[in-house]
């Protein structure tokens, strides 16, 4: 398993995920990207929607404001 702080969790497949409503989502791929930002249109699978996210203030600028 690999976790990217700005992206998905990568897990070796196949994978079964039980969703909040009790339905089962399954992927037979050898590596599966699970969405952590909940922006994916293919949730629970990552569709790279997290890449469109923009920050209001860059982290280096945020520290100088205090």
């Amino acid at each position: 398993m690999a976790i990217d702080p700005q992206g998905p969790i990568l897990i070796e497949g196949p994978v079964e995920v039980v969703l909040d409503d009790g339905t089962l989502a399954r992927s037979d791929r050898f590596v599966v990207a699970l969405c952590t930002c909940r922006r994916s249109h293919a949730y629970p699978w990552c569709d790279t929607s997290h890449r469109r996210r923009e920050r209001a203030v860059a982290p280096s600028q945020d520290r100088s404001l205090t």
Side-chain angles (χ1 to χ4, degrees), residues 1-3 8-15 17 29-34:
M1 176 171 48
I3 300 174
I9 297 174
L10 300 176
I11 300 176
E12 290 182 26
V15 174
V17 177
R29 293 178 175 232
F30 66 95
V31 175
V32 177
L34 293 176

Side-chain angles (χ1 to χ4, degrees), residues 36-61:
T36 59
C37 69
R38 291 197 171 254
R39 295 173 189 245
S40 174
H41 295 287
Y43 188 83
W45 319 122
C46 179
D47 67 359
T48 68
S49 292
H50 60 274
R51 292 182 185 168
R52 292 188 286 267
R53 179 175 58 200
E54 293 182 22
R55 294 182 184 192
V57 177
S60 60
Q61 293 173 342

